[in-house]
Amino acid sequence: MGMNLLRHGTLVALLLAAPLALTACDNKGPAERAGEKIDDAAEKAADKLEEARDKAGEAVDDLRDKADEAVEKAKEDNK
């Protein structure tokens, strides 16, 4: 989990730093355009990772709820 947060934090830092580096140049050459494409791809990847993390969290919550319900039912059945 810590490694994912580190990767996510690093990605966010790179995404925030990239526009600052690109504002220094008015004329966009091939390297700048390629950099923008990489930035866009990185941003999309970060969004997908965040979505996946949220879905995984929801799935864990659902499983926890089902396990709690099963334990309660088992307790009631043993009374």
Side-chain angles (χ1 to χ4, degrees), residues 11 19 25 29 37-39 41 52 55-56 60-61 64 71:
L11 183 59
C25 302
K37 288 181 181 180
I38 291 170
D39 291 342
K55 286 181 181 180
V60 168
D61 290 342
R64 185 180 301 123
V71 168

Side-chain angles (χ1 to χ4, degrees), residues 49-67:
L49 285 172
E50 188 173 350
E51 282 179 32
R53 184 195 69 215
D54 291 345
K55 286 181 181 180
E58 290 172 9
V60 168
D61 290 342
D62 289 344
L63 287 172
R64 185 180 301 123
D65 291 343
K66 288 179 182 178

